Amino acid sequence: MSSNWFVSMAYFVAAVVFILGLKAMSSPVTARRGIVWAGFAMVGATVVTFFMPGLHNVGLIVTAIVLGGGVAWWSGKTVKMTDMPQMVAIYNGMGGGAAAAIAAVELVRGAPHDGITATLMALGAIIGAVAFSGSCVAFAKLQGIMKKAIRLKAQNNVNFFLALATFGVGLTVSYSSQASGFEVFLFFALALALGTVLVMPIGGADMPVVISLLNAFTGLAVGFEGFVLGNPALIVAGIVVGASGTLLTQLMAKAMNRPIKNIIFTPLTGAAAEGEGGAIEGSMKEFSALDAASVMRYASKVIIVPGYGMAVAGAQHKVWEMAQLLEEGGVEVVFAIHPVAGRMPGHMNVLLAEAGVPYDKIFDLEEINADFPQADVALVIGANDVVNPVARTDKTSPIYGMPILNVDMAQNVIVVKRGKGAGYSGIENALFYKDNCRMLYGSAQQAIGEVITHVKALEA
Amino acid sequence: MEGFAALYIFMLAAFAGYEVISRVPVILHTPLMSGSNFVHGVVLIGAMVALGHADPEDPMQLVIGFFAVFLGAANAAGGYIVTERMLAMFKSGGRKEGDAK
């Protein structure tokens, strides 16, 4: 009994520290401290669990922790910062899978449960399994293993009936204490299929919101299974994440002006965008690296708008080097980041931080948009849809209404771009045809490299 | 656990989660998503309990339980390391490198 009290007390402390840790993570100054606290709480809670009375299979538990933890630790340590979103997706999926597997163990054990417990167990299992398979699909998409958004005919009907079947089988299985192995298997097969089918048609720019939503799902699943196991630490941590994840998802969806239900039920795909939107007048005008260097060197204010293209090219270090050079020459240089730049909100901030850009030089959409008319140069590197003015002007465009960075209002716009094609979402960009816009073709790495050389030459 | 007590815990935890996050600047959204991803790694403890109470004679329970602990541990470890790496890079221009804490 006393060791049980000890374990419960430790879980209580862990739950408090998790919440404090999350709170600390909400400010850049204390964020680092927050994750370290939460880390200690996790280790503590894990260790005391071994002291729980009546715990068997200790050898297996230790082996599984060492294997799972080891693989994840190693992959997390070595992953590149640009690939971070899919790692978050896959770790999240694993958490969902773990919650579903807990329900599976309970179902196979066939222990009788009352109505509420059986319902929450089934819900947790479904949500967890959906998070698992959905995150695997998200991972495959972001990693480039799965290239196209696959949309079934009558997708929404398929979703609906699959969900109905999953819930039906799930509740039947969890209410009966004598479910056969086949029924349990069928239940999980259906739930996993549901997650796959839900995420499969979602592509491109909507991915960050989906990852965040699946993160909230896993939180809920963990909370529900915590109820089944009678473990308040799981309930508190799971539901806190479920609620905060839902809020975060809403914030992201709002930043993109894409209601969550649209993201899931009417995905934005290249095919839908083709042929829509009015014809764009004008032509693209090319610029050389030397032109770009002199325009920026003699500007008084330059706003750099980095996009995912810059990060893929690994050019953030070069860009920061160029920014520092310009600053030495007395040019004011700041960075403007769209909420969905990169593949998750804030992803671009992480990538710039990695290159050494201080966070007080980086501004959000709302902070910076009023400054563009006063800027001499807006330098767009590898960003496309988030600077496309049709979002303000063309009602027929699929991205109409999405808040954008108003780079077209700057005196000069320089766009660094690999080639002439359309962006990630396949939508033509009216910015490129504007009179004040010049195109600097080439990979970000090489183009900025040349600009740096020319800026240095101007200096001498 | 009492059904209604648990319902209250659900409700209060949901409010806590909502409040804790509501004042987060955009630049921290990704680390925060990753951080909350780490926090639900507490599922590891549930998985340990599930495997720990599984019937040692039933390989089916053991396999699924092992899978649960494996996944839970990966969620916790991966979530931690990725979040920590991201947050370690944030620093402000006003300070020297290294003393950003």
Side-chain angles (χ1 to χ4, degrees):
Chain A
M1 209 60 209
S2 65
S3 76
N4 225 346
W5 182 89
F6 171 67
V7 172
S8 299
M9 196 61 212
Y11 285 167
F12 176 75
V13 173
V16 173
V17 177
F18 283 145
I19 296 179
L20 289 176
L22 273 178
K23 178 137 187 62
M25 274 186 246
S26 62
S27 154
V29 185
T30 53
R32 179 92 187 269
R33 227 177 290 159
I35 184 69
V36 173
W37 288 346
F40 277 117
M42 188 71 78
V43 172
T46 309
V47 170
V48 299
T49 304
F50 283 108
F51 294 96
M52 191 176 257
L55 199 78
H56 305 288
N57 310 319
V58 173
L60 273 179
I61 294 178
V62 173
T63 315
I65 292 179
V66 170
L67 282 178
V71 168
W73 189 271
W74 174 79
S75 59
K77 202 87 188 162
T78 50
V79 65
K80 282 192 305 209
M81 278 295 153
T82 41
D83 295 339
M84 207 54 102
Q86 53 265 49
M87 287 323 277
V88 175
I90 199 75
Y91 295 142
N92 170 48
M94 287 170 145
I102 290 173
V105 174
E106 289 293 309
L107 286 172
V108 173
R109 258 179 13 136
H113 292 292
D114 64 69
I116 299 176
T117 312
T119 310
L120 285 181
M121 182 162 72
L123 283 180
I126 295 170
I127 298 170
V130 165
F132 179 68
S133 58
S135 297
C136 289
V137 174
F139 174 82
K141 287 194 173 207
L142 291 173
Q143 188 72 22
I145 300 169
M146 189 193 266
K147 292 253 164 57
K148 295 195 92 172
I150 300 159
R151 191 167 169 76
L152 304 173
K153 281 178 189 161
Q155 174 86 39
N156 291 346
N157 290 340
V158 173
N159 290 351
F160 178 76
F161 286 109
L162 198 53
L164 204 67
T166 313
F167 278 92
V169 176
L171 289 175
T172 316
V173 169
S174 39
Y175 272 91
S176 85
S177 53
Q178 299 289 281
S180 73
F182 173 74
E183 285 167 320
V184 175
F185 175 79
L186 179 69
F187 171 40
F188 283 96
L190 280 171
L192 291 171
L194 180 64
T196 312
V197 172
L198 274 175
V199 178
M200 199 104 88
I202 303 171
D206 288 340
M207 225 53 210
V209 183
V210 174
I211 296 176
S212 174
L213 188 65
L214 293 174
N215 190 41
F217 273 14
T218 303
L220 279 185
V222 172
F224 290 168
E225 297 311 329
F227 180 84
V228 174
L229 296 171
N231 188 323
L234 258 71
I235 300 181
V236 170
I239 300 298
V240 163
V241 171
S244 61
T246 307
L247 177 61
L248 198 56
T249 311
Q250 282 170 348
L251 290 176
M252 283 185 214
K254 213 167 116 195
M256 297 170 70
N257 198 34
R258 297 261 298 147
I260 294 168
K261 72 171 177 21
N262 284 13
I263 290 174
I264 295 171
F265 298 113
T266 51
L268 185 70
T269 59
E274 268 171 39
E276 285 181 33
I280 296 163
E281 308 252 315
S283 61
M284 295 195 204
K285 291 159 284 287
E286 217 175 313
F287 222 26
S288 73
L290 175 62
D291 296 329
S294 42
V295 169
M296 286 192 283
R297 175 62 189 80
Y298 298 110
S300 60
K301 180 166 182 162
V302 173
I303 301 178
I304 300 179
V305 180
Y308 191 65
M310 178 200 75
V312 172
Q316 53 270 45
H317 294 273
K318 280 261 180 253
V319 172
W320 177 226
E321 189 189 337
M322 182 194 74
Q324 283 172 305
L325 259 178
L326 291 172
E327 280 187 327
E328 279 164 29
V331 185
E332 185 193 354
V333 183
V334 294
F335 290 82
I337 297 197
H338 191 275
V340 294
R343 286 188 168 173
M344 293 196 293
H347 186 206
M348 193 53 64
N349 304 75
V350 173
L351 296 169
L352 289 178
E354 190 193 17
V357 181
Y359 60 73
D360 41 19
K361 284 200 176 299
I362 304 174
F363 296 93
D364 291 349
L365 183 116
E366 284 124 40
E367 294 171 319
I368 197 103
N369 247 351
D371 293 355
F372 279 107
Q374 284 98 51
D376 302 287
V377 180
L379 176 67
V380 179
I381 309 169
N384 192 341
D385 295 333
V386 298
V387 294
N388 192 345
V390 299
R392 277 199 320 259
T393 55
D394 184 357
K395 286 205 167 110
T396 60
S397 171
I399 58 169
Y400 178 74
M402 178 175 93
I404 57 156
L405 288 161
N406 297 325
V407 294
D408 55 318
M409 292 178 181
Q411 300 296 316
N412 299 283
V413 184
I414 301 172
V415 177
V416 179
K417 204 168 172 303
R418 268 183 105 75
K420 298 189 181 184
Y424 201 49
S425 64
I427 300 162
E428 197 60 73
N429 195 334
L431 172 72
F432 304 160
Y433 299 91
K434 290 241 171 189
D435 286 337
N436 59 346
C437 180
R438 296 287 180 275
M439 310 297 291
L440 177 56
Y441 290 114
S443 81
Q445 182 85 347
Q446 162 238 333
I448 299 300
E450 283 175 25
V451 172
I452 290 175
T453 321
H454 290 300
V455 171
K456 279 186 181 153
L458 288 169
E459 217 66 51
Chain B
M1 196 187 316
E2 290 287 323
F4 269 100
L7 197 63
Y8 279 96
I9 298 180
F10 277 134
M11 186 265 298
L12 291 172
F15 276 110
Y18 209 84
E19 281 304 312
V20 159
I21 293 291
S22 59
R23 282 173 294 271
V24 179
V26 178
I27 68 158
L28 283 173
H29 278 179
T30 286
L32 189 73
M33 192 205 295
S34 180
S36 57
N37 177 35
F38 165 68
V39 168
H40 68 53
V42 73
V43 71
L44 168 63
I45 289 161
M48 289 169 72
V49 173
L51 177 55
H53 292 158
D55 180 0
E57 304 297 313
D58 182 356
M60 182 83 162
Q61 288 182 34
L62 293 182
V63 169
I64 303 173
F66 185 85
F67 191 59
V69 176
F70 177 88
L71 291 178
N75 180 185
Y80 180 81
I81 193 72
V82 163
T83 313
E84 209 272 339
R85 269 184 67 192
M86 276 193 249
L87 290 175
M89 293 182 312
F90 281 102
K91 53 180 177 285
S92 100
R95 299 190 226 176
K96 286 197 189 108
E97 277 186 46
D99 66 15
K101 279 275 156 65

